[in-house]
Amino acid sequence: MLKDPVIATTIILILIVVGEIISIKTRARIPMLAVTLFGYLVLIWLGVFPKDLLENSTLSTLGSLMFAPLIVHMGTLIPIQLIKQQYKSVIIALLGILISTITILLVVTPFFGYEIAASGVGPISGGVVAFLITSEKLKELGLASIVTVPAVILGLQTLIGLPLATFFLRRYAKKLILVRGHESYIAAAAEAAAETGSKLKKEAAEPRKKYWLPEQYATAPILMFQLLLGGTLAVVLNHFTGINYALWGLVIGLVGTYFGFYRQSMLEQSNSFGIVMLAIVFAVIATMNGVTFQMLLDYFPAIMAILAIGAVGIILGGLIGSKLVKWDLNKGIPVALTAMFGFPGDYLICEEVSRSIGKTKEEEEYIFNEILSPMLVGGFTTVTIASVFIAGIVMGTL
């Protein structure tokens, strides 16, 4: 009965739904992937799930197929204008991820080996995509057992990054209240609202971007074909150049959007984002099939070392970056730490900090407006862009 694709998919989906509910209830403090991955492992180890359950669910095959097009889609998400406006956030985020990578490779390698150190670099500086790049390369090299390291880091990094970022952001929010009076908050909020309104009016007055594909042809099958075409080109370029197809996919999506071949947020435009991301989660879970409890015990010291050293490296990068762009450390360090949780954690943490520190609605709004854009741009820079490049480059050195 469990060999039926519908039944197998439904069983796995129950586990994902439980993880999603826990994530929503804890406001992303406990991520869905952590619950899903560890839950799946425990159920396999206890013999509740057969190891071929995911094989029987053909959705994981779709996830593997859609990985390259997904990265092209990520390239279509890059808001060039916002990144230009928040260039200081970008500098801090990049320094955090860069110093974290260097620190992990230098400190962890002598104790646990370069392969283990390299396998932890991508996931700690990003999310699912960096993990898939890492796990694919490890399997290709016959190092499948090491997949335990990036998988557990992927599950645990949010539990470390969110509390640290909250600690620094709360300190920054308290400083804002001390520095500015109540009237200043209202004036600043009104000024920010007026500025935002004028920007929106200006953008509305500007002519809409022209796309190669006329509106009437922007249907789901055609948009998906465009993404698959970009993914195919990325894979072909990988074969010819040896540069990871994930890097090519990101560039193809970015350049294609800039010149109008792609639209912004291609998967959403084709109404396919939900099912594709679900299939990707299935593909991530599938990588856990070879992980045993003994492997987890064997690699646990290395995992804890990578998490600790990586977090220290990110904080150090945030500190240096803040000094460089002349920002308050308590504002800059959380921007760097977004590498460990990304969206929606970066948005939720801004909501929580502004609500808990602000004593009035005006104060809450002021704090929220002050911290939201840098945090969102930081998360986007690290998780969506830099982690893909870092994972692709570092795994290419193995």
Side-chain angles (χ1 to χ4, degrees):
M1 187 171 68
L2 293 179
K3 293 191 178 296
D4 186 283
V6 176
I7 295 172
T9 301
T10 303
I11 290 170
I12 297 293
L13 197 51
I14 289 170
L15 188 59
I16 294 172
V17 168
V18 170
E20 192 75 5
I21 291 169
I22 291 172
S23 177
I24 292 167
K25 288 284 187 185
T26 61
R27 297 182 65 80
R29 284 188 181 84
I30 301 176
M32 176 271 289
L33 265 177
V35 177
T36 304
L37 293 178
F38 292 123
Y40 179 76
L41 278 177
V42 170
L43 290 170
I44 277 187
W45 293 340
L46 294 175
V48 177
F49 282 0
K51 283 197 173 183
D52 62 350
L53 185 65
L54 268 162
E55 257 178 60
N56 298 331
S57 167
T58 51
L59 204 56
S60 59
T61 306
L62 175 63
S64 301
L65 170 68
M66 288 304 298
F67 183 45
L70 172 68
I71 298 175
V72 177
H73 159 77
M74 287 170 66
T76 71
L77 295 174
I78 298 173
I80 300 297
Q81 283 304 114
L82 182 60
I83 287 177
K84 282 181 184 176
Q85 291 165 10
Q86 288 285 339
Y87 71 93
K88 291 182 179 180
S89 303
V90 174
I91 290 169
I92 291 171
L94 290 176
L95 274 172
I97 200 172
L98 185 62
I99 291 176
S100 171
T101 298
I102 294 168
T103 308
I104 290 170
L105 293 177
L106 288 178
V107 178
V108 176
T109 299
F111 296 97
F112 301 103
Y114 183 75
E115 291 87 358
I116 290 176
S119 72
V121 160
I124 206 168
S125 60
V128 173
V129 174
F131 166 75
L132 287 172
I133 293 169
T134 303
S135 61
E136 276 188 2
K137 186 65 177 180
L138 290 173
K139 287 180 180 177
E140 182 189 317
L141 297 172
L143 301 169
S145 66
I146 299 180
V147 170
T148 310
V149 175
V152 177
I153 287 171
L154 182 68
L156 294 180
Q157 61 174 350
T158 301
L159 303 178
I160 294 171
L162 275 177
L164 284 170
T166 302
F167 170 77
F168 288 108
L169 269 186
R170 283 177 64 86
R171 291 181 61 175
Y172 180 62
K174 286 175 182 176
K175 280 186 180 181
L176 286 177
I177 289 178
L178 289 172
V179 170
R180 295 176 183 266
H182 184 68
E183 292 78 15
S184 299
Y185 278 108
I186 298 172
E191 188 182 335
E195 188 181 340
T196 303
S198 65
K199 277 183 184 177
L200 288 173
K201 284 177 187 173
K202 185 182 174 186
E203 285 171 9
E206 287 175 358
R208 290 179 63 189
K209 184 179 178 67
K210 289 186 178 179
Y211 298 107
W212 293 11
L213 189 69
E215 195 65 38
Q216 64 265 34
Y217 295 112
T219 61
I222 294 175
L223 293 175
M224 286 300 293
F225 170 72
Q226 283 184 285
L227 279 176
L228 280 161
L229 194 64
T232 302
L233 178 59
V235 171
V236 170
L237 287 169
N238 178 28
H239 283 303
F240 280 107
T241 65
I243 298 171
N244 194 287
Y245 68 88
L247 306 183
W248 285 117
L250 205 58
V251 171
I252 289 166
L254 175 61
V255 174
T257 306
Y258 183 80
F259 286 105
F261 179 73
Y262 290 121
R263 294 164 184 264
Q264 288 284 334
S265 308
M266 283 289 284
L267 280 177
E268 281 93 342
Q269 295 271 356
S270 66
N271 299 314
S272 309
F273 182 75
I275 188 64
V276 169
M277 285 310 298
L278 187 60
I280 293 290
V281 172
F282 270 67
V284 170
I285 298 171
T287 63
M288 306 299 286
N289 274 342
V291 176
T292 65
F293 183 66
Q294 188 57 48
M295 282 181 190
L296 182 61
L297 290 179
D298 291 343
Y299 289 118
F300 198 72
I303 291 165
M304 290 297 103
I306 291 169
L307 283 168
I309 293 161
V312 169
I314 289 171
I315 291 171
L316 182 60
L319 192 151
I320 294 169
S322 299
K323 291 284 189 185
L324 193 65
V325 302
K326 297 180 179 166
W327 268 16
D328 189 301
L329 300 180
N330 294 297
K331 180 183 179 182
I333 290 172
V335 169
L337 283 167
T338 55
M340 299 186 82
F341 46 88
F343 189 84
D346 46 14
Y347 183 87
L348 294 171
I349 199 176
C350 292
E351 272 192 331
E352 185 178 317
V353 168
S354 58
R355 190 174 55 249
S356 62
I357 301 298
K359 295 180 178 65
T360 66
K361 202 70 182 169
E362 288 81 8
E363 287 182 358
E364 284 183 31
E365 285 178 9
Y366 181 79
I367 294 168
F368 185 75
N369 291 335
E370 176 72 17
I371 63 179
L372 180 64
S373 291
M375 290 293 285
L376 288 179
V377 171
F380 190 88
T381 302
T382 54
V383 177
T384 308
I385 306 171
S387 67
V388 175
F389 280 96
I390 292 285
I393 291 167
V394 172
M395 296 313 292
T397 63
L398 293 179

